[in-house]
Amino acid sequence: MASTAAVTQGVIPVELLKGQKALVTGANSGIGKATAIGLGRAGADVVVNYVSGRDAAEEVVKEITSFGVRAAAYEADVSQEDQVTAVMDRMVQEFGTIDILVANAGMQRDAPFTEMALEQWQKVLDVNLTGQFLCAREATKEFRRRGVVPAVSSSAGKIICMSSVHQLIPWSGHVNYASSKGGVQMMMATLAQELAPHKIRVNAVAPGAIRTPINRGAWETPEAREELLRLIPYNRIGDPQDIAHAVVALASDLMDYVVGTTLYVDGGMTLFPGFATGG
Ligand code: NAD
C-alpha cells in the first residue's frame, strides 16, 4: 500500500472516484470549476459544462486531463430541455455512462421586490431550479438503465445539488434566488426519497459565502469583507476548494449511507451568529 503522501494531492485521495464519470454544470467558473478539477483529481473522468466562455472551459479540461483522466467541454444552457438531453446523449456516447451529476450552474438577478421584473424572477428559477430538475431527470434515466456496477460504486448514481445557505436563510432583495434554493432543497429531498430504492443517492451541498464572481461585491472591498465576516463564526470567507472537497466526499462511497442530506459548508453561517452576543 502506498504512503498517504503518495495517494493524495492536496487533501483529495487520487483514486477515490477512479473509473467514475462525472458531469458538472457551470464548470468553467468558481465553485463548478473547482469541483470539476477536484473530481478529476480524485480519478473521475469529467464533462465540463458551460453556457458561455469556451476558453475558460477548455482551460479546466486541460487541468483535469493533466491528472491522467479524461475530460471534455460541452456547451449547453441547463434551462433548455433539448440542450440538456443532448448533453446527456453525448456523454453516454463519448464517455459510456454517467455516475455523478453535480447540478451546480446558478445565477443571481437581484432587485428589491417591487422592482423585480417577471423576467428576473423567471430567469433565476429557470436556471437554478428547472436546470437542476432537467439535469437530474436525464442523469437518473441513465443511472436506472445501467444500474449498480459494484466495481465502480456501491450505488447506481449520485446527484449533488448545489444549493445555498439561502435555502434556509431568507435574503432581502434576492427573492428569486432564495426561492430557487428553497425549491432545490425540497426537490433534492423528494428525489432522494423517490430514488433511494433504485440505489441512487441524492444530496445537496449548501455553500455559505464563497469567493467567486457571483458575489464579488460582497468580498471585493475591505468594508464589504468586514461586514461579511460578521456573519461567519469561523471568520474566513470560503474558497471554491472548500466546496469541491465536500462534493468529492459526498460523491464517493465513503458517504454511501448519506441520502437526502444537505451538507452546509458555510463556516457556521447558519448558526445564527447574531445570537452569539444578542438574543
Ligand atoms: P459563478 O458565477 O462563478 O458560477 C456559476 C456558473 O454557472 C458559471 O459557470 C455560469 O456560466 C454557469 N451558468 C449560469 N447560467 C447557466 C446556464 N443557463 N447553463 C449552464 N451554466 C450556467 O458562481 P459560483 O459562486 O461558482 O456559483 C456556483 C453555484 O454555487 C451556484 O448554484 C450558486 O448559486 C451556488 N452558491 C454560491 C455561493 C457563493 O458564495 N459563491 C454561495 C451559495 C451557493
Side-chain angles (χ1 to χ4, degrees):
M1 166 118 183
S3 73
T4 307
V7 294
T8 61
Q9 294 180 32
V11 296
I12 297 180
V14 298
E15 298 212 328
L16 192 62
L17 300 174
K18 195 168 173 225
Q20 302 204 40
K21 322 286 177 194
L23 166 64
V24 183
T25 65
N28 62 348
S29 174
I31 288 170
K33 173 180 173 178
T35 297
I37 292 168
L39 291 166
R41 209 179 265 279
D45 296 328
V46 186
V47 171
V48 173
N49 160 253
Y50 68 99
V51 69
S52 61
R54 180 166 185 87
D55 289 352
E58 291 296 351
E59 280 301 310
V60 178
V61 165
K62 210 161 123 192
E63 184 158 354
I64 295 170
T65 51
S66 76
F67 306 135
V69 295
R70 286 184 65 199
Y74 290 2
E75 182 181 343
D77 178 337
V78 295
S79 68
Q80 301 301 311
E81 186 172 29
D82 55 340
Q83 296 184 35
V84 172
T85 309
V87 158
M88 208 57 69
D89 287 349
R90 184 174 165 197
M91 183 167 177
V92 171
Q93 207 165 50
E94 294 179 358
F95 284 75
T97 191
I98 177 171
D99 302 284
I100 300 162
L101 166 68
V102 184
N104 164 78
M107 67 185 324
Q108 290 180 215
R109 287 280 185 277
D110 310 331
F113 183 45
T114 53
E115 290 163 32
M116 186 172 286
L118 176 59
E119 186 276 334
Q120 285 172 296
W121 166 267
Q122 197 60 57
K123 179 75 182 168
V124 169
L125 268 290
D126 283 352
V127 174
N128 294 12
L129 184 56
T130 306
Q132 294 207 13
F133 158 75
L134 290 170
C135 293
R137 191 189 65 189
E138 295 311 304
T140 298
K141 288 179 188 168
E142 173 58 14
F143 297 156
R144 300 241 4 227
R145 184 200 64 76
R146 193 204 57 240
V148 178
V149 179
V152 173
S153 175
S154 308
S155 68
K158 281 84 58 165
I159 296 173
I160 293 156
C161 300
M162 199 55 68
S163 189
S164 163
V165 291
H166 296 297
Q167 72 170 33
L168 181 72
I169 304 174
W171 202 16
S172 300
H174 306 77
V175 68
N176 48 359
Y177 184 84
S179 302
S180 74
K181 296 302 186 178
V184 164
Q185 195 284 326
M186 190 48 78
M187 183 189 74
M188 180 281 292
T190 300
L191 293 185
Q193 186 191 62
E194 184 166 338
L195 301 178
H198 302 288
K199 298 288 280 177
I200 296 166
R201 291 196 297 115
V202 188
N203 289 287
V205 169
I210 309 299
R211 208 180 268 101
T212 74
I214 210 174
N215 59 357
R216 192 179 295 282
W219 50 262
E220 209 166 34
T221 66
E223 300 76 36
R225 213 165 30 244
E226 197 177 316
E227 201 178 323
L228 183 57
L229 284 174
R230 273 196 261 121
L231 301 175
I232 309 172
Y234 205 54
N235 206 35
R236 75 167 169 87
I237 298 170
D239 290 313
Q241 286 78 5
D242 290 311
I243 306 305
H245 294 164
V247 172
V248 168
L250 260 182
S252 79
D253 281 357
L254 289 172
M255 300 276 173
D256 189 52
Y257 207 48
V258 179
V259 175
T261 291
T262 295
L263 178 55
Y264 287 92
V265 185
D266 68 351
M269 192 178 241
T270 41
L271 297 174
F272 300 99
F275 280 79
T277 51

